[in-house]
Amino acid sequence: MPNKYKVADLKLAPAGRLKIEWAESRMPVLGLLKQKYSRTKPLKGQRIAGCLHVTKETAVLVHTLVAAGAQVSWSGCNPLSTQDDIAAALAADGVSIYAWHGMNVKEFYWCIEKTLEFKPTLTLDDGADLINTLHKRRQDLIPNILGGTEETTTGVHRLRAMAAGGALKYPIIAVNDAETKWDFDNVYGTGQSSIDGILRATSILIAGKNFVVAGYGHCGKGCAMRAAGLGANVIVTEVKPTAALKALLDGFRVMTMTRAARIGDIFITATGMKDVITKKHFQFMKDGAVVCNTGHYDCEVNIKDLKSLAKSVKEIRSNNQQYTLKDGRHIFLLAQGRLVNLAAAEGHPSEVMDMSFANQFLSLIHCAKEGRKLTIDVHDIPPE
Ligand code: RBV
């Protein structure tokens, strides 16, 4: 059966294939798993719908799933994170994929629904939008589904809330909560890729800047550590007392966003919460302040508030919008407040995604094998 797809430009496939080949050379764990499971094909007969950033690393995961016998249908999990050359390479290589860079929110859900037409037996999520759409609009598909996996902190939170409220209808494995995921991907992956995104969008000097990190969870910690490594004066804002204390003992200044807003040069949110930077902060920011987010959703920086203070907006360079405020100050918003590491750069480096995606791969095999034996809940990844 020919694969169905919608991507930006199929002609980009050769460039995408080179990037995937490069990623593959940095992902030895998935390479070994591919070798091992392409013989036994434990995913034979499984139909996997995936909703995860379309990057070169994700493409390596997709190839590994296919080698293990699965059929795959894919969409991106963020309107700005799809790399069009990678999507083209996957489509050209026979994967059903619906993803292009810069889609609107309506198109985003259209893509997810297209992947569901394929009637999955397993789902793979990053942020829980696929599972959520399935539970809301395609309950008819649930009897076919053995289980699913979730990649990220925000998605695991959403799914635990669904499970607690009795709304979850099939078992989930919380890939994010594996030590070999959060302790590496969330810290070192986010730290490096977020700085990478900021640099590609601005090319500014980090040394000597007041670099404000909102949130001192694993992701915030990674950002703070790497900004400090580049010579920034790091300031952490944090509402959870123990996390704030950790930031202090790690050597960072800790204060409220209301105070940090007045002195920050670069702001990054990594909280998973909404309205972390709002009007009351924009009002006091320095002329030239750079603002971005690395959390899963674009709700951490209140863009409506920023717009309400602005008299004009212009795209000054790629992924960098200059807001001119009515009082003449400029604030630069990166990647429209979406995750700066995936929208303005290429996401986490391949080496950490190798660990995260090995967990994804093994969890899906676990779901396929355990089938109906798993209880309907959010499970930790089995240690083995
Ligand atoms: N993430 N994926 C990539 N290069 O494919 N980079 C980051 C990539 C994932 C990461 O695991 C994190 O939990 C999630 O994106 C946030 O949406």
Side-chain angles (χ1 to χ4, degrees), residues 329-344:
R329 280 175 304 134
H330 299 109
I331 290 177
F332 297 88
L333 177 70
L334 309 187
Q336 298 169 41
R338 295 197 183 273
L339 357 89
V340 69
N341 58 338
L342 279 136

Side-chain angles (χ1 to χ4, degrees), residues 140-179:
D140 58 303
L141 299 175
I142 289 174
N144 286 330
I145 299 179
L146 294 171
T149 57
E150 171 53 55
E151 169 79 3
T152 205
T153 316
T154 299
V156 170
H157 285 163
R158 287 178 83 183
L159 291 164
R160 288 204 196 281
M162 275 173 81
L168 187 68
K169 300 287 182 234
Y170 61 85
I172 301 296
I173 300 202
V175 169
N176 179 73
D177 294 4
E179 188 185 353

